[in-house]
Amino acid sequence: MQRVLTATTTLVVTAGLLTGCALLDRHSQLTIAMLMDDEGYTVDVTTNPVDITDTVCGDDLKCVEAYSTDEANYYRFTSRDAAASYAASVDDGFAVHYIAMDFTGKNNVSTDAQRSAMERLAGTWQDYDGPFPDR
């Protein structure tokens, strides 16, 4: 009986800690859909958003959400490391927290618009402290 009680207590405490970590990491709560729907800006830097999650996220690319815009393709991952690894694996990528942007093939939009898209993503939580790739 003591073992069952100890195991149950351990399970409940562990679940609580894991839930607390997810709640405390507000960056994990940001979805790409939220970025696409953000109407608080005068300039739209997520032009023509299309949800491509079902076609790109899966066995080959372990993302949980994906959108394509005129400026970039956005991919959300379950960890910061996965987002950073993906951004580093493409020729023209950028990552902030759980979201990576891929600018590959997005040549019909100005580099200023792409820079603004990076700044919008980086400024969402107003805590980004890093460089932006040259555009």
Side-chain angles (χ1 to χ4, degrees), residues 61 77 79-90 95 97 100:
L61 184 58
F77 295 88
S79 73
R80 296 166 191 259
D81 288 341
S85 292
Y86 178 79
S89 75
V90 296
H97 302 302

Side-chain angles (χ1 to χ4, degrees), residues 33-113:
M34 292 166 71
L35 287 173
M36 299 299 125
D37 290 338
D38 189 2
E39 298 176 7
Y41 293 90
T42 55
V43 177
D44 185 8
V45 295
T46 57
T47 312
N48 299 318
V50 176
D51 185 342
I52 58 171
T53 305
D54 291 339
T55 57
V56 300
C57 295
D59 291 336
D60 292 335
L61 184 58
K62 304 286 187 203
C63 56
V64 294
E65 182 184 27
Y67 273 75
S68 180
T69 68
D70 290 350
E71 295 77 19
N73 287 336
Y74 293 75
Y75 303 95
R76 184 167 59 95
F77 295 88
T78 58
S79 73
R80 296 166 191 259
D81 288 341
S85 292
Y86 178 79
S89 75
V90 296
D91 290 335
D92 196 6
F94 176 70
V96 176
H97 302 302
Y98 294 79
I99 299 175
M101 298 173 76
D102 183 358
F103 300 98
T104 306
K106 302 292 183 169
N107 303 323
N108 294 330
V109 65
S110 74
T111 56
D112 287 340

